[in-house]
Amino acid sequence: MSGSLQTVLARLRGGDGARRSGLLLIAALMLLALAGVGSVPTWITLTLAGLAMGMMVFIMASGLTLVFGLMDVLNFGHGAFISLGAFVGVSVMAALGPWMESASLAVNLAAVLAGAIIGMVVTGLFGYVFERLVVMPVYGNHLKQILITMGGLIVVEQLIYVVWGPDAIPIPRPETLKGALTFGDVVLEKYRLLAVAVGLTIFAVMTGVLTRTKIGLLVRAGVENSEMVESLGYPITRLFIAVFIAGSALAGLGGVMWGLYEEVITAHMGMSVMVMVFIVVIIGGLGSVEGCFLGALLVGLMNNYVAYLAPKMALGSSILLMVAILMWRPEGLLPVAKGR
Amino acid sequence: MLNTLFSGDFPRSRWLTGLLLVIAVALLLAPFLFPGSRPLDTAAKICVFIVLVASYDLLLGYTGVVSFAHTVFFGMGAYGAAIALAKVGPGWGALLTGGALGVVSAMVLALLIALFSLRVRAIFFAMVTLAVASAFAILVSQLFHITGGEDGLSYSLPRELTPAFRLVQDKVFDVRIDGRLLTYYLVLTVSVVLFLGLLRLVNSPFGRVLQAIRENEFRAEALGYKTVLYRTLASCIAAGVAALAGVMMAVWARYTGPETTLSMDIMVNILLMVVIGGMGTLYGAVVGATLFVLAQNYLQTLMAGLSSALSGVPVLPNLFAPDRWLLWLGVLFILSVYFFPTGLVGRLRGTGAGR
């Protein structure tokens, strides 16, 4: 008995250590980049860009990692939700054209919010259908999951072409979110500030739900040992579907935000963002929301610093980062302790 | 004799044997049966893809490993040959050296990825390879002074393989025996040799161990097989064969670019071919690749007809627009993973419910 208590304590301490080393890694990366970039204002701009990118990737990746943690489902079709969310959100925003062009920040934000919410609702519903139709029949078989969700991704991408046409759709940012705030030499793009704010809010809400509510407790317990949760009488499948829907909705939100960030959307965007999402999820440790957050910040910052210092290396650098981190911790930064 | 040639692994079904015979005869006599450059092009692509898909099946179907980096190896072979031909000039030496370099570097990269993924959980492999594949595609488009970037490379082949070369002055059965025809038969011969080689490999004790790993890795390990070693070897061999398929593609198309060798679309196509044809049997690669390449080239024509026939109805014409053929193959793909996990070949063998 005391032995198992000790392992639990060691695990907790291990978690804290990993958390600390993850944060230290981010700090080290930022300092290193400061030395490399050489100018403080540029560095601040790049850091903001990196944080914004990290937050958006976090929003998209968090659902994927939870879905895996809870039910051992590896959803390669997650990218479809990103694209779908972007297209729905952009259509809504295009319909609210005058709101987007209005000079008032509140009206602009209302338009973006409307787009994001409708995008999230649609992708959430779609996630439910996707889970029931595509994912459910292949529980417990990774090989088939990868194949079938990949197939789902192809079909959804093609359906987007059918509905919205094959061309990329440009989407200008709302009037008051264009441009940047300047303080002396420091340039802070407004939209990136918004992205960071949204990302932090989502992270705070998600951590709050996971650590302070009963549902969160069940989800965390399910990630660690789903059979035990089920044998205690909680419907793990229903829980899982709820998480899947929430994860899909977040992917949709991420898609809307990413679309506004790139200012153009294509049906293929989900697939291309997925590469970064996977890197983040692997770095963080599959199943861990906090690890995902740390990983997303690392990848976002790394991408922007490297894109400034050596533009051709951007994506390559995140892969090298992933390789380095996995050499150090083969399970990722904050692996989820599995109780099975 | 037949037993040695097919390594004792026969189609084991009357229908399948018939289908394979039809495909073999059609490929063998393609230039004479279907005159014109488009059918010949289709036939050559079928040969190349049979080899590529068979090598992928070695990973997916026999070993149970999902990799998204197969196009990288295919591309390395193609670019190896293409860069040598474009920079050194059209000659057999350049073609062979470039091709060999491409194959070797593909195998080395496969070894590196395998060694690296030993340290991490097996399930990361699919995601890691996906990341590597997209990084490689970006690398190729950025090193444009070597690879031609997004435009790719066009080059000429050794004289014996050009349309201007005549082996025999007269026409044989109304077909001109020129360099293009020689190229086709070169591609066909290499494909047959590689395919039979792979068939030999999967029916060897080595192949049995791979299947054991697919079925129950833990147990294979417990029986004393070093699963890691076997998996690494399998991915290196698959990479080497894929690179050879790439060399053939480069020779046949006389053009190599990211769209034809590295894009995610090609990877998706390979997946579709393996799954629709049938995983875990190399005959699946033959059936899958043939049907898919035919569909790619001719289904679009059919769909264009359907689309225009439906032109009065809303939405439907879009669903059947020729560019949306991948939609229908995607649906077919999902359905076949559910209902025919052993693909068409499994169906024909009457073991569709197996596994």
Side-chain angles (χ1 to χ4, degrees):
Chain A
M1 198 58 211
S2 73
S4 68
L5 187 68
Q6 266 165 9
T7 41
V8 169
L9 283 178
R11 195 155 74 200
L12 281 179
R13 267 202 299 278
D16 276 351
R19 205 163 292 139
R20 212 175 306 127
S21 46
L23 288 172
L24 277 177
L25 207 61
I26 294 178
L29 180 66
M30 287 166 74
L31 283 178
L32 207 67
L34 182 58
V37 173
S39 112
V40 177
T42 318
W43 177 78
I44 294 180
T45 309
L46 287 177
T47 306
L48 177 69
L51 289 177
M53 188 172 182
M55 293 297 176
M56 283 187 281
V57 175
F58 164 72
I59 294 176
M60 294 184 258
S62 53
L64 187 75
T65 201
L66 264 185
V67 160
F68 178 82
L70 201 57
M71 223 49 176
D72 222 21
V73 166
L74 198 55
N75 182 9
F76 270 65
H78 203 66
F81 306 137
I82 298 175
S83 302
L84 184 70
F87 274 86
V88 172
V90 162
S91 304
V92 171
M93 283 187 259
L96 294 173
W99 289 23
M100 296 286 279
E101 284 151 23
S102 146
S104 137
L105 180 63
V107 176
N108 283 173
L109 283 181
V112 173
L113 196 66
I117 287 179
I118 296 180
M120 283 174 80
V121 169
V122 171
T123 43
L125 286 176
F126 181 74
Y128 176 73
V129 176
F130 193 83
E131 205 280 333
R132 292 286 93 182
L133 273 183
V134 176
V135 181
M136 191 181 63
V138 288
Y139 280 169
N141 186 339
H142 281 151
L143 187 87
K144 280 194 179 175
Q145 278 167 14
I146 297 176
L147 293 180
I148 228 159
T149 51
M150 197 75 196
L153 176 64
I154 299 169
V155 171
V156 173
E157 225 173 63
Q158 295 291 322
L159 284 176
I160 289 180
Y161 285 132
V162 170
V163 178
W164 279 280
D167 301 320
I169 300 178
I171 167 75
R173 288 176 199 160
E175 209 51 46
T176 52
L177 292 175
K178 283 179 189 159
L181 304 172
T182 42
F183 303 99
D185 286 341
V186 182
V187 180
L188 300 176
E189 246 186 70
K190 290 178 196 165
Y191 183 70
R192 287 175 176 161
L193 286 172
L194 177 73
V196 171
V198 174
L200 280 179
T201 317
I202 300 260
F203 180 60
V205 170
M206 203 184 246
T207 334
V209 170
L210 281 175
T211 53
R212 293 188 201 277
T213 64
K214 177 139 188 211
I215 295 215
L217 181 71
L218 284 175
V219 169
R220 279 184 301 140
V223 167
E224 237 176 74
N225 191 336
S226 55
E227 274 170 30
M228 186 55 89
V229 173
E230 196 163 22
S231 64
L232 289 172
Y234 295 101
I236 190 83
T237 325
R238 221 179 290 163
L239 200 64
F240 172 69
I241 293 173
V243 169
F244 199 98
I245 292 174
S248 315
L250 283 177
L253 173 65
V256 175
M257 293 180 64
W258 192 262
L260 282 173
Y261 176 69
E262 300 266 312
E263 295 186 275
V264 65
I265 54 171
T266 63
H268 210 61
M269 64 183 274
M271 188 65 216
S272 23
V273 183
M274 273 316 268
V275 171
M276 221 179 324
V277 167
F278 281 142
I279 294 178
V280 162
V281 167
I282 294 178
I283 288 182
L286 268 177
S288 154
V289 171
E290 247 179 290
C292 175
F293 188 69
L294 289 179
L297 290 186
L298 270 176
V299 168
L301 288 170
M302 185 89 174
N303 243 301
N304 280 279
Y305 292 145
V306 175
Y308 176 77
L309 294 170
K312 295 192 169 180
M313 285 290 294
L315 186 61
S317 71
S318 7
I319 293 184
L320 288 182
L321 178 74
M322 171 179 77
V323 170
I325 286 186
L326 288 182
M327 286 296 162
W328 171 45
R329 284 175 187 275
E331 298 271 297
L333 278 178
L334 283 172
V336 175
K338 282 275 175 194
R340 44 190 126 157
Chain B
M1 184 6 212
L2 266 183
N3 206 17
T4 327
L5 209 53
F6 289 98
S7 317
D9 183 2
F10 293 105
R12 293 205 310 276
S13 145
R14 204 174 303 147
W15 285 100
L16 182 58
T17 316
L19 184 61
L20 288 173
L21 273 179
V22 169
I23 293 175
V25 170
L27 286 180
L28 195 62
L29 301 178
F32 302 97
L33 290 177
F34 316 104
S37 69
R38 193 169 167 212
L40 195 63
D41 192 48
T42 310
K45 280 208 178 110
I46 291 176
C47 294
V48 172
F49 273 101
I50 287 177
V51 173
L52 183 62
V53 171
S55 68
Y56 189 68
D57 198 28
L58 183 66
L59 284 182
L60 181 67
Y62 281 91
T63 322
V65 172
V66 187
S67 158
F68 288 101
H70 216 61
T71 45
V72 172
F73 308 131
F74 183 59
M76 283 176 115
Y79 271 101
I83 292 171
L85 285 172
K87 304 285 161 184
V88 182
W92 287 100
L95 173 60
L96 292 179
T97 329
L101 277 178
V103 171
V104 170
S105 41
M107 292 177 85
V108 170
L109 181 66
L111 182 69
L112 285 180
I113 296 179
L115 285 181
F116 165 69
S117 54
L118 294 185
R119 275 190 60 82
V120 303
R121 298 165 64 181
I123 190 162
F124 285 179
F125 193 78
M127 301 194 247
V128 170
T129 49
L130 188 70
V132 169
S134 64
F136 189 78
I138 290 174
L139 187 74
V140 165
S141 75
Q142 281 174 348
L143 296 176
F144 53 85
H145 42 281
I146 308 176
T147 60
E150 290 296 319
D151 295 334
L153 292 168
S154 295
Y155 39 84
S156 30
L157 295 173
R159 209 186 77 82
E160 288 78 7
L161 300 180
T162 52
F165 177 78
R166 295 280 140 76
L167 189 66
V168 195
Q169 280 309 324
D170 303 318
K171 289 186 170 183
V172 179
F173 296 115
D174 239 14
V175 175
R176 197 166 276 130
I177 309 296
D178 60 0
R180 201 76 184 134
L181 198 78
L182 282 187
T183 317
Y184 175 72
Y185 279 106
L186 182 70
V187 168
L188 181 66
T189 316
V190 177
S191 305
V192 170
V193 170
L194 285 174
F195 180 79
L196 291 178
L198 280 173
L199 201 60
R200 177 66 255 185
L201 185 77
V202 297
N203 287 295
S204 66
F206 176 78
R208 289 279 175 256
V209 178
L210 294 186
Q211 280 161 284
I213 293 174
R214 174 193 72 198
E215 292 303 323
N216 191 336
E217 183 182 349
F218 186 68
R219 192 161 173 202
E221 182 101 50
L223 287 172
Y225 294 105
K226 292 203 165 74
T227 51
V228 161
L229 184 71
Y230 278 89
R231 227 195 267 128
T232 310
L233 266 179
S235 53
C236 286
I237 294 171
V241 178
L244 283 172
V247 175
M248 289 195 283
M249 191 70 182
V251 168
W252 176 257
R254 290 174 291 178
Y255 161 82
T256 297
E259 277 298 304
T260 53
T261 53
L262 290 175
S263 70
M264 198 60 212
D265 295 351
I266 303 273
M267 191 64 239
V268 169
N269 292 355
I270 299 176
L271 266 178
L272 290 167
M273 290 184 224
V274 171
V275 171
I276 293 172
M279 288 185 276
T281 156
L282 289 185
Y283 295 115
V286 179
V287 177
T290 309
L291 283 184
F292 189 89
V293 176
L294 283 180
Q296 198 173 18
N297 282 295
Y298 297 103
L299 182 70
Q300 299 190 29
T301 327
L302 193 74
M303 285 176 64
L306 200 57
S307 178
S308 55
L310 288 167
S311 55
V313 196
V315 185
L316 277 184
N318 273 342
L319 274 180
F320 292 101
D323 287 344
R324 296 289 80 78
W325 63 287
L326 201 55
L327 171 70
W328 297 102
L329 283 177
V331 172
L332 183 63
F333 173 85
I334 296 182
L335 293 179
S336 41
V337 176
Y338 281 152
F339 300 112
F340 326 109
T342 49
L344 278 171
V345 167
R347 274 279 110 161
L348 289 175
R349 277 176 171 171
T351 55
R355 270 219 310 287

